[in-house]
Every structure is written in structure tokens, then in C-alpha cells.
Amino acid sequence: MHLPSVLSFLIWIPVVSGIFVLTFAPSATLSRAVAMFGALLSLLPAIQLVSQFDNSSSAMQFVERVDWLPQFGASYHLGVDGISLWFTMLTAVTTLIIFIASWRSVTKQVAQFYGAFLVLAGCMQGVFTSLDGMLFFAFFEASLIPLYLLIGTWGNGEKRIYAALRFFFFSLFGSLAMLAALIYLWTQAHTFDIDAWRALKLDFIPQVVIFLCFVAAFSVKVPMWPVHTWLPDVNAEGPTGAAVLLGMLKIGGYGMLRYVLPIVPDASHFFAPAMIALSLVAIIYGSLVALAQTDMRKLLAYSGVAHMGLVTLGLFTFDRIGTEGAVVQMLSYGVVSGAMLLCTGVLFDRTRNGSIDAYGGVANTMPKFATYAMLFSMANVGLPGTSGFVGEFLVLMGAIRFNFWVGAAAALSLILSAAYTLWMYKRVMFGAVKNDRVAKLRDIGRREFVLFGAMAVLVLAIGVHPKTFTDAIGPSVENALAASQGSSLPTDPSAPSYDAHHETVSERQPG
């Protein structure tokens, strides 16, 4: 008899809780209580993963494998390494944060809201733990349905249906391309096992086609320029919780590191200059457009495009430091963007207005809120001591090691992010109280204070002690980069890898 592992509990506790809320919760109060219990319960296996994870190993851990569709070579195959470990924890924490943040703001169809979020959280855990291509695709696609419902049903704006449809079709077209690539890989390996796909020696032309198919799917979820245009609409029109979840869960960057680089390495190196160029465009273009925004949520959307440009830049430099920085940047910006979006959500829930010009002098009436918002703004800028600094610094180090001018162009993000973030903070928080709406604002209560306090701890924990995270990430990144070297591109065994002890790669023992 098969007994489920901790990873199965990680996936199916939120899914089953969500279905229970949708089916049996008779009232809004009971729906909130059951959903919160499910979110707390799903946090337990994530804590077990982190506490029992072996940081010295690059191998998959907590592996579970059961035949699913054996005639097609598909299996229920789960596992985590140092890359996926922290994404599973971030997913569990994000779900709990969103439930606390929406405790009072969601008043219609409460059971459906929390049920959809729990099912979505379970699907995200499945994405980060799947080691079978078909299983990954099933979870990847299943996540579209609750996200579409959340944006279209509980959105804040009149164009929420348009925003939901735009997001859905952008994601769907990319997913269909990815499905074609998965089927081709199955015809070559006769299995959907990712390890078998890594061992394939594909010709260059098939690698190019598969690369383009995978990038079509994952670039939407990063999002990369120019397929980023759905994000401002979702931020502005969708519910705060959906925007926070999209900001925190970096499926696109994770998919590129897990699937694109190791499975089609020659094509990845061939297209690296183009991907780096698109990343630089995203960094500079996203920052400049953010400077021109008058809506806080759209400004944060373009800020996300710029910051995630650093992630794809770090990945396609094929540098160990840059790639570790890209993973840390995904984790860090997931927390920071979520915190910033929750800050805008607090103001929007009180005034129903997201325009920057509608505010001024908020610090006079909401001093506690303004203090937290200042910390999160500094993390968005990349101030040393915050999580925003670590990932950006490592990516820029890797970019400069790759090419000085690429690193110099990417470093513009530090200047431009300071410009649009501090400009927004100044206009919203400082100065005299602008109008009666601002004068009547009430400061955050105990629930919101604890919520923002928890996120502040995460921001400072990553910034002050990044070794906790890079110790687990480093060996797995080295393993992924070793698989991404390609048939004609030798590794550089003398290149150093970042960690707190300044070890070289040759000093690390393989897992």
C-alpha cells in the first residue's frame, strides 16, 4: 500500500480544504474559519520540508513516485531540491497572508473566494514539486481556472472581465505551445520523466523549436517584455489577493531554470544574447513606464516587469553567482511585491481609489502604515539590509562577470527603481493632508499590523542573513548549470560560486 509523502500533503491539503469550503461551508463566517484552518494546516508540511532539508545535497529530496499513466510513461513523481524548496514555503506563507489580508475586505461569495484560493495554492505546490512533465502541465494548467475566476469575479474595476480574459488567453496560447514541446519530448524519451529528458541528446533544430515553445509559456508568467501587457490590467482591475499571488509566485522564472536551460542547453546558449537583450529592455522600459504611471497598482506592475528582467538576465548569463541571484531575486521580489501590493490594497479598500494624485499626507493620519510602507519601498529600491539588495547585487555581479556593459546597463535599474518608488512614496505619504478623504483615513489595526510585521520580518531575514537561503539554493543551481552547458560548451570549473564562506565549486562536495 502506498503511503503519501509530505509533498502529497503539501499539495492536497489545500486542494481538499478548498473543495470542502466550496461544497459544505454554509456561511461566510464558517467559510473563513475553515479556509484559515486549511491554510494553517498546509503550512505544516512546508515547515517540515525546510527543517529536514539537507542543504549540502543537490539531489531531489522527499521523493515520491507512483505510476499514474504507465502506458504513456507518466507518473505521479514529486520531489524538491534547493531551488524549489523555498518556493513551496513561499506559496504556503503567501496563502496564509492573503487570507489574513482579505478577512474583512471580501464580502461577496466568500466560500467561493477562499475555496478558489486554496485550490490554486495546491496547484502551485504541484507546479513546484512535479518531476514528471505531464504532471507539471496538469498543475500548470489547472491553476488558470481559479485565477481566471478570482480576477473576473472579485476584481475591483469595471474592466475586470477584460483583464481576466486577457490573462487567460495569454497564458493559454503559451501553454498550448508548451504542450506540443512536452509531447515531442515524450516521443523521443517514451517517458515524461524530467531526468530522462535531461539525458536526451537532441539535435539543434529540435532544441530550437522546444526552446521557443517553452519560452512562449514561461515568458508570460515571468512576465517578460513584450508579453507583459496583461499584468497592469490584472493589478489594476483584479482583487488584491490575486495580484499578490501573481507577484509572489514566480512560475515563469522557475520553469526556465527547471525545464529550458537543462533540457535544451544548446538552444538556450544560442538564444542567450536575445534573452539578455529582452531582459535589458524589460529593465529599462519597465522602469521608465513606471515613472509615467499615475495609478499605484499599475506602477507596481511595471516595477515587476523591470525587476523580473533581472531574473531572466541572471539566468541567461549562465553564471553561478548570477543564477543564484536570480533565484534569490524571485523569492525576494515575491515578498516585496506582495507587501507593496498589500499596501496599495489597504489604501484602496479605505478609499476605493488607486490614483497617486488622490493622496498626499497619508503619513499624518496613518503613521504605522507609513512606516511599514517605507521599509517595503526601500526593499523595492534594493537598500542594503533588505531582501531586495541581495538578489539584485548577485545578479549584477554575475552580469558584470559575463560582460561589463551588460552589467552596467542592468545597473540602471538601481537608479530608476529609486526614482519611481521614492517618487510614489513622497507624493502619497508626505506633505500636508491633501483632502478630506485622506484626513478621515484610519491607521492599520492589530490584524494588519501583525500581517505587515510578518512580511517585514521576511524582508529583513533575507536581507540580513541570506546564507540561510543560498546554502540550500547553491548546490542545486550548480547542478542545473552543469546540465545546461550543452554538448559543445564546456564548464568552467574554476569559476567561484557565491556563498557566505566564499567557497569555490571544487571545494563543495556533490550531493
Side-chain angles (χ1 to χ4, degrees), residues 161-195:
I161 302 298
Y162 168 79
L165 287 171
R166 191 177 177 87
F167 165 75
F168 182 85
F169 283 111
F170 265 75
S171 300
L172 180 63
F173 290 144
S175 298
L176 292 175
M178 181 173 69
L179 178 60
L182 296 178
I183 293 174
Y184 177 81
L185 289 168
W186 175 80
T187 64
Q188 300 301 303
H190 305 292
T191 179
F192 285 100
D193 188 79
I194 296 176
D195 288 334

mmCIF file of all heavy atoms in Angstrom, residues 161-195:
data_model
loop_
_atom_site.group_PDB
_atom_site.id
_atom_site.type_symbol
_atom_site.label_atom_id
_atom_site.label_comp_id
_atom_site.label_asym_id
_atom_site.label_seq_id
_atom_site.Cartn_x
_atom_site.Cartn_y
_atom_site.Cartn_z
ATOM 1 N N ILE A 161 -13.438 41.691 -16.145
ATOM 2 C CA ILE A 161 -13.652 40.569 -17.059
ATOM 3 C C ILE A 161 -12.654 40.641 -18.208
ATOM 4 O O ILE A 161 -12.073 39.623 -18.615
ATOM 5 C CB ILE A 161 -15.087 40.572 -17.603
ATOM 6 C CG1 ILE A 161 -16.101 40.507 -16.452
ATOM 7 C CG2 ILE A 161 -15.291 39.407 -18.560
ATOM 8 C CD1 ILE A 161 -15.993 39.236 -15.633
ATOM 9 N N TYR A 162 -12.421 41.838 -18.704
ATOM 10 C CA TYR A 162 -11.430 42.026 -19.768
ATOM 11 C C TYR A 162 -10.041 41.620 -19.279
ATOM 12 O O TYR A 162 -9.304 40.926 -19.994
ATOM 13 C CB TYR A 162 -11.432 43.491 -20.199
ATOM 14 C CG TYR A 162 -10.268 43.883 -21.079
ATOM 15 C CD1 TYR A 162 -10.259 43.568 -22.433
ATOM 16 C CD2 TYR A 162 -9.178 44.573 -20.556
ATOM 17 C CE1 TYR A 162 -9.189 43.926 -23.246
ATOM 18 C CE2 TYR A 162 -8.108 44.939 -21.352
ATOM 19 C CZ TYR A 162 -8.121 44.610 -22.696
ATOM 20 O OH TYR A 162 -7.059 44.969 -23.501
ATOM 21 N N ALA A 163 -9.694 42.015 -18.057
ATOM 22 C CA ALA A 163 -8.382 41.666 -17.510
ATOM 23 C C ALA A 163 -8.255 40.158 -17.336
ATOM 24 O O ALA A 163 -7.201 39.572 -17.630
ATOM 25 C CB ALA A 163 -8.170 42.373 -16.170
ATOM 26 N N ALA A 164 -9.337 39.506 -16.874
ATOM 27 C CA ALA A 164 -9.296 38.055 -16.680
ATOM 28 C C ALA A 164 -9.138 37.324 -18.008
ATOM 29 O O ALA A 164 -8.353 36.375 -18.122
ATOM 30 C CB ALA A 164 -10.565 37.599 -15.961
ATOM 31 N N LEU A 165 -9.896 37.751 -19.017
ATOM 32 C CA LEU A 165 -9.801 37.115 -20.329
ATOM 33 C C LEU A 165 -8.427 37.331 -20.957
ATOM 34 O O LEU A 165 -7.864 36.421 -21.569
ATOM 35 C CB LEU A 165 -10.891 37.655 -21.261
ATOM 36 C CG LEU A 165 -12.318 37.174 -20.983
ATOM 37 C CD1 LEU A 165 -13.310 37.958 -21.833
ATOM 38 C CD2 LEU A 165 -12.441 35.682 -21.271
ATOM 39 N N ARG A 166 -7.901 38.514 -20.790
ATOM 40 C CA ARG A 166 -6.578 38.828 -21.354
ATOM 41 C C ARG A 166 -5.510 37.919 -20.729
ATOM 42 O O ARG A 166 -4.682 37.340 -21.440
ATOM 43 C CB ARG A 166 -6.263 40.298 -21.095
ATOM 44 C CG ARG A 166 -5.057 40.845 -21.846
ATOM 45 C CD ARG A 166 -4.921 42.329 -21.534
ATOM 46 N NE ARG A 166 -3.758 42.897 -22.163
ATOM 47 C CZ ARG A 166 -3.710 43.391 -23.391
ATOM 48 N NH1 ARG A 166 -4.802 43.365 -24.151
ATOM 49 N NH2 ARG A 166 -2.602 43.915 -23.886
ATOM 50 N N PHE A 167 -5.542 37.810 -19.400
ATOM 51 C CA PHE A 167 -4.595 36.924 -18.722
ATOM 52 C C PHE A 167 -4.786 35.476 -19.162
ATOM 53 O O PHE A 167 -3.810 34.754 -19.429
ATOM 54 C CB PHE A 167 -4.767 37.044 -17.207
ATOM 55 C CG PHE A 167 -4.114 35.944 -16.434
ATOM 56 C CD1 PHE A 167 -2.732 35.921 -16.279
ATOM 57 C CD2 PHE A 167 -4.865 34.918 -15.871
ATOM 58 C CE1 PHE A 167 -2.119 34.885 -15.574
ATOM 59 C CE2 PHE A 167 -4.261 33.888 -15.170
ATOM 60 C CZ PHE A 167 -2.885 33.880 -15.028
ATOM 61 N N PHE A 168 -6.051 35.033 -19.253
ATOM 62 C CA PHE A 168 -6.338 33.640 -19.583
ATOM 63 C C PHE A 168 -5.807 33.279 -20.971
ATOM 64 O O PHE A 168 -5.148 32.247 -21.139
ATOM 65 C CB PHE A 168 -7.846 33.398 -19.521
ATOM 66 C CG PHE A 168 -8.239 31.974 -19.791
ATOM 67 C CD1 PHE A 168 -8.240 31.036 -18.787
ATOM 68 C CD2 PHE A 168 -8.616 31.576 -21.069
ATOM 69 C CE1 PHE A 168 -8.592 29.719 -19.029
ATOM 70 C CE2 PHE A 168 -8.966 30.259 -21.329
ATOM 71 C CZ PHE A 168 -8.966 29.334 -20.303
ATOM 72 N N PHE A 169 -6.061 34.102 -21.964
ATOM 73 C CA PHE A 169 -5.666 33.754 -23.327
ATOM 74 C C PHE A 169 -4.161 33.910 -23.536
ATOM 75 O O PHE A 169 -3.555 33.135 -24.280
ATOM 76 C CB PHE A 169 -6.453 34.573 -24.340
ATOM 77 C CG PHE A 169 -7.863 34.084 -24.528
ATOM 78 C CD1 PHE A 169 -8.943 34.833 -24.095
ATOM 79 C CD2 PHE A 169 -8.098 32.855 -25.114
ATOM 80 C CE1 PHE A 169 -10.237 34.372 -24.253
ATOM 81 C CE2 PHE A 169 -9.394 32.374 -25.283
ATOM 82 C CZ PHE A 169 -10.470 33.134 -24.852
ATOM 83 N N PHE A 170 -3.542 34.898 -22.906
ATOM 84 C CA PHE A 170 -2.078 34.982 -22.952
ATOM 85 C C PHE A 170 -1.472 33.680 -22.418
ATOM 86 O O PHE A 170 -0.561 33.109 -23.029
ATOM 87 C CB PHE A 170 -1.584 36.162 -22.107
ATOM 88 C CG PHE A 170 -1.350 37.415 -22.883
ATOM 89 C CD1 PHE A 170 -2.406 38.195 -23.324
ATOM 90 C CD2 PHE A 170 -0.066 37.839 -23.187
ATOM 91 C CE1 PHE A 170 -2.198 39.362 -24.039
ATOM 92 C CE2 PHE A 170 0.166 39.002 -23.900
ATOM 93 C CZ PHE A 170 -0.900 39.769 -24.327
ATOM 94 N N SER A 171 -1.979 33.220 -21.276
ATOM 95 C CA SER A 171 -1.441 32.007 -20.657
ATOM 96 C C SER A 171 -1.776 30.770 -21.475
ATOM 97 O O SER A 171 -0.945 29.872 -21.640
ATOM 98 C CB SER A 171 -1.993 31.859 -19.238
ATOM 99 O OG SER A 171 -1.643 32.963 -18.430
ATOM 100 N N LEU A 172 -2.992 30.707 -22.018
ATOM 101 C CA LEU A 172 -3.432 29.515 -22.732
ATOM 102 C C LEU A 172 -2.629 29.286 -24.003
ATOM 103 O O LEU A 172 -2.204 28.152 -24.285
ATOM 104 C CB LEU A 172 -4.920 29.629 -23.070
ATOM 105 C CG LEU A 172 -5.523 28.442 -23.825
ATOM 106 C CD1 LEU A 172 -5.449 27.176 -22.977
ATOM 107 C CD2 LEU A 172 -6.969 28.737 -24.215
ATOM 108 N N PHE A 173 -2.401 30.335 -24.780
ATOM 109 C CA PHE A 173 -1.651 30.170 -26.029
ATOM 110 C C PHE A 173 -0.230 29.685 -25.754
ATOM 111 O O PHE A 173 0.303 28.820 -26.450
ATOM 112 C CB PHE A 173 -1.630 31.481 -26.813
ATOM 113 C CG PHE A 173 -2.970 31.865 -27.384
ATOM 114 C CD1 PHE A 173 -3.367 33.191 -27.449
ATOM 115 C CD2 PHE A 173 -3.847 30.884 -27.834
ATOM 116 C CE1 PHE A 173 -4.599 33.542 -27.965
ATOM 117 C CE2 PHE A 173 -5.081 31.231 -28.350
ATOM 118 C CZ PHE A 173 -5.477 32.554 -28.413
ATOM 119 N N GLY A 174 0.395 30.235 -24.717
ATOM 120 C CA GLY A 174 1.721 29.771 -24.347
ATOM 121 C C GLY A 174 1.702 28.330 -23.869
ATOM 122 O O GLY A 174 2.600 27.535 -24.191
ATOM 123 N N SER A 175 0.667 27.960 -23.125
ATOM 124 C CA SER A 175 0.578 26.602 -22.610
ATOM 125 C C SER A 175 0.390 25.585 -23.725
ATOM 126 O O SER A 175 0.912 24.464 -23.650
ATOM 127 C CB SER A 175 -0.574 26.504 -21.610
ATOM 128 O OG SER A 175 -0.355 27.344 -20.503
ATOM 129 N N LEU A 176 -0.353 25.930 -24.755
ATOM 130 C CA LEU A 176 -0.531 25.021 -25.886
ATOM 131 C C LEU A 176 0.797 24.773 -26.587
ATOM 132 O O LEU A 176 1.089 23.644 -27.005
ATOM 133 C CB LEU A 176 -1.560 25.595 -26.862
ATOM 134 C CG LEU A 176 -3.009 25.653 -26.352
ATOM 135 C CD1 LEU A 176 -3.905 26.349 -27.364
ATOM 136 C CD2 LEU A 176 -3.531 24.243 -26.062
ATOM 137 N N ALA A 177 1.608 25.808 -26.711
ATOM 138 C CA ALA A 177 2.937 25.632 -27.302
ATOM 139 C C ALA A 177 3.787 24.716 -26.428
ATOM 140 O O ALA A 177 4.501 23.832 -26.932
ATOM 141 C CB ALA A 177 3.616 26.992 -27.478
ATOM 142 N N MET A 178 3.711 24.896 -25.102
ATOM 143 C CA MET A 178 4.470 24.040 -24.203
ATOM 144 C C MET A 178 3.997 22.594 -24.292
ATOM 145 O O MET A 178 4.808 21.661 -24.252
ATOM 146 C CB MET A 178 4.360 24.540 -22.757
ATOM 147 C CG MET A 178 5.163 23.693 -21.768
ATOM 148 S SD MET A 178 5.220 24.367 -20.101
ATOM 149 C CE MET A 178 3.527 24.148 -19.582
ATOM 150 N N LEU A 179 2.695 22.366 -24.434
ATOM 151 C CA LEU A 179 2.172 21.006 -24.552
ATOM 152 C C LEU A 179 2.752 20.313 -25.785
ATOM 153 O O LEU A 179 3.106 19.118 -25.722
ATOM 154 C CB LEU A 179 0.644 21.039 -24.630
ATOM 155 C CG LEU A 179 -0.045 19.684 -24.800
ATOM 156 C CD1 LEU A 179 0.274 18.768 -23.624
ATOM 157 C CD2 LEU A 179 -1.554 19.868 -24.948
ATOM 158 N N ALA A 180 2.863 21.043 -26.888
ATOM 159 C CA ALA A 180 3.465 20.461 -28.087
ATOM 160 C C ALA A 180 4.912 20.037 -27.816
ATOM 161 O O ALA A 180 5.353 18.959 -28.257
ATOM 162 C CB ALA A 180 3.409 21.462 -29.238
ATOM 163 N N ALA A 181 5.656 20.859 -27.067
ATOM 164 C CA ALA A 181 7.043 20.512 -26.736
ATOM 165 C C ALA A 181 7.098 19.284 -25.836
ATOM 166 O O ALA A 181 7.955 18.408 -26.007
ATOM 167 C CB ALA A 181 7.722 21.698 -26.060
ATOM 168 N N LEU A 182 6.192 19.192 -24.870
ATOM 169 C CA LEU A 182 6.166 18.039 -23.971
ATOM 170 C C LEU A 182 5.888 16.753 -24.740
ATOM 171 O O LEU A 182 6.511 15.711 -24.471
ATOM 172 C CB LEU A 182 5.107 18.246 -22.886
ATOM 173 C CG LEU A 182 5.301 19.412 -21.908
ATOM 174 C CD1 LEU A 182 4.127 19.492 -20.949
ATOM 175 C CD2 LEU A 182 6.598 19.275 -21.136
ATOM 176 N N ILE A 183 4.964 16.811 -25.678
ATOM 177 C CA ILE A 183 4.641 15.619 -26.460
ATOM 178 C C ILE A 183 5.824 15.203 -27.328
ATOM 179 O O ILE A 183 6.131 14.007 -27.452
ATOM 180 C CB ILE A 183 3.381 15.880 -27.320
ATOM 181 C CG1 ILE A 183 2.161 16.057 -26.410
ATOM 182 C CG2 ILE A 183 3.155 14.736 -28.307
ATOM 183 C CD1 ILE A 183 0.906 16.466 -27.140
ATOM 184 N N TYR A 184 6.519 16.167 -27.906
ATOM 185 C CA TYR A 184 7.698 15.816 -28.707
ATOM 186 C C TYR A 184 8.769 15.156 -27.833
ATOM 187 O O TYR A 184 9.376 14.145 -28.232
ATOM 188 C CB TYR A 184 8.285 17.053 -29.382
ATOM 189 C CG TYR A 184 9.539 16.738 -30.168
ATOM 190 C CD1 TYR A 184 9.465 16.203 -31.444
ATOM 191 C CD2 TYR A 184 10.803 16.927 -29.603
ATOM 192 C CE1 TYR A 184 10.611 15.879 -32.160
ATOM 193 C CE2 TYR A 184 11.958 16.612 -30.298
ATOM 194 C CZ TYR A 184 11.853 16.087 -31.573
ATOM 195 O OH TYR A 184 12.990 15.758 -32.266
ATOM 196 N N LEU A 185 9.006 15.690 -26.655
ATOM 197 C CA LEU A 185 9.992 15.088 -25.761
ATOM 198 C C LEU A 185 9.581 13.669 -25.375
ATOM 199 O O LEU A 185 10.430 12.780 -25.233
ATOM 200 C CB LEU A 185 10.164 15.959 -24.514
ATOM 201 C CG LEU A 185 10.891 17.296 -24.725
ATOM 202 C CD1 LEU A 185 10.746 18.182 -23.495
ATOM 203 C CD2 LEU A 185 12.367 17.063 -25.033
ATOM 204 N N TRP A 186 8.273 13.442 -25.207
ATOM 205 C CA TRP A 186 7.806 12.095 -24.907
ATOM 206 C C TRP A 186 8.091 11.137 -26.061
ATOM 207 O O TRP A 186 8.478 9.983 -25.840
ATOM 208 C CB TRP A 186 6.309 12.129 -24.612
ATOM 209 C CG TRP A 186 5.715 10.769 -24.419
ATOM 210 C CD1 TRP A 186 5.756 9.998 -23.291
ATOM 211 C CD2 TRP A 186 5.004 9.999 -25.400
ATOM 212 N NE1 TRP A 186 5.117 8.804 -23.494
ATOM 213 C CE2 TRP A 186 4.642 8.781 -24.791
ATOM 214 C CE3 TRP A 186 4.630 10.240 -26.721
ATOM 215 C CZ2 TRP A 186 3.928 7.797 -25.469
ATOM 216 C CZ3 TRP A 186 3.924 9.264 -27.404
ATOM 217 C CH2 TRP A 186 3.583 8.059 -26.782
ATOM 218 N N THR A 187 7.917 11.626 -27.298
ATOM 219 C CA THR A 187 8.203 10.747 -28.444
ATOM 220 C C THR A 187 9.669 10.370 -28.519
ATOM 221 O O THR A 187 10.019 9.312 -29.069
ATOM 222 C CB THR A 187 7.792 11.423 -29.765
ATOM 223 O OG1 THR A 187 8.594 12.595 -29.973
ATOM 224 C CG2 THR A 187 6.314 11.796 -29.758
ATOM 225 N N GLN A 188 10.548 11.187 -27.973
ATOM 226 C CA GLN A 188 11.974 10.899 -28.005
ATOM 227 C C GLN A 188 12.414 10.023 -26.834
ATOM 228 O O GLN A 188 13.281 9.159 -26.979
ATOM 229 C CB GLN A 188 12.777 12.209 -27.993
ATOM 230 C CG GLN A 188 12.484 13.120 -29.165
ATOM 231 C CD GLN A 188 12.759 12.472 -30.510
ATOM 232 O OE1 GLN A 188 13.864 12.019 -30.777
ATOM 233 N NE2 GLN A 188 11.732 12.397 -31.353
ATOM 234 N N ALA A 189 11.830 10.232 -25.658
ATOM 235 C CA ALA A 189 12.256 9.501 -24.459
ATOM 236 C C ALA A 189 11.281 8.409 -24.044
ATOM 237 O O ALA A 189 11.629 7.564 -23.211
ATOM 238 C CB ALA A 189 12.445 10.477 -23.300
ATOM 239 N N HIS A 190 10.033 8.443 -24.602
ATOM 240 C CA HIS A 190 8.976 7.482 -24.251
ATOM 241 C C HIS A 190 8.653 7.526 -22.757
ATOM 242 O O HIS A 190 8.261 6.522 -22.159
ATOM 243 C CB HIS A 190 9.368 6.064 -24.683
ATOM 244 C CG HIS A 190 9.706 5.964 -26.133
ATOM 245 N ND1 HIS A 190 8.767 6.115 -27.132
ATOM 246 C CD2 HIS A 190 10.903 5.765 -26.757
ATOM 247 C CE1 HIS A 190 9.354 6.003 -28.318
ATOM 248 N NE2 HIS A 190 10.652 5.790 -28.119
ATOM 249 N N THR A 191 8.860 8.663 -22.178
ATOM 250 C CA THR A 191 8.509 8.900 -20.779
ATOM 251 C C THR A 191 8.379 10.404 -20.576
ATOM 252 O O THR A 191 8.895 11.192 -21.371
ATOM 253 C CB THR A 191 9.574 8.332 -19.832
ATOM 254 O OG1 THR A 191 9.197 8.620 -18.477
ATOM 255 C CG2 THR A 191 10.929 8.976 -20.092
ATOM 256 N N PHE A 192 7.660 10.772 -19.517
ATOM 257 C CA PHE A 192 7.545 12.180 -19.159
ATOM 258 C C PHE A 192 8.469 12.544 -18.004
ATOM 259 O O PHE A 192 8.360 13.642 -17.452
ATOM 260 C CB PHE A 192 6.090 12.518 -18.785
ATOM 261 C CG PHE A 192 5.171 12.618 -19.970
ATOM 262 C CD1 PHE A 192 4.337 11.560 -20.300
ATOM 263 C CD2 PHE A 192 5.143 13.748 -20.753
ATOM 264 C CE1 PHE A 192 3.483 11.635 -21.385
ATOM 265 C CE2 PHE A 192 4.301 13.845 -21.844
ATOM 266 C CZ PHE A 192 3.461 12.782 -22.166
ATOM 267 N N ASP A 193 9.361 11.650 -17.641
ATOM 268 C CA ASP A 193 10.266 11.900 -16.531
ATOM 269 C C ASP A 193 11.289 12.977 -16.907
ATOM 270 O O ASP A 193 11.948 12.886 -17.943
ATOM 271 C CB ASP A 193 10.983 10.615 -16.152
ATOM 272 C CG ASP A 193 11.793 10.780 -14.882
ATOM 273 O OD1 ASP A 193 11.187 10.739 -13.788
ATOM 274 O OD2 ASP A 193 13.015 10.958 -14.987
ATOM 275 N N ILE A 194 11.432 13.979 -16.070
ATOM 276 C CA ILE A 194 12.310 15.110 -16.385
ATOM 277 C C ILE A 194 13.765 14.672 -16.454
ATOM 278 O O ILE A 194 14.525 15.152 -17.309
ATOM 279 C CB ILE A 194 12.131 16.229 -15.339
ATOM 280 C CG1 ILE A 194 10.715 16.781 -15.386
ATOM 281 C CG2 ILE A 194 13.134 17.355 -15.578
ATOM 282 C CD1 ILE A 194 10.434 17.820 -14.326
ATOM 283 N N ASP A 195 14.174 13.769 -15.585
ATOM 284 C CA ASP A 195 15.563 13.309 -15.609
ATOM 285 C C ASP A 195 15.897 12.634 -16.942
ATOM 286 O O ASP A 195 17.006 12.794 -17.467
ATOM 287 C CB ASP A 195 15.819 12.340 -14.455
ATOM 288 C CG ASP A 195 15.846 13.047 -13.107
ATOM 289 O OD1 ASP A 195 16.151 14.254 -13.092
ATOM 290 O OD2 ASP A 195 15.553 12.407 -12.083
#
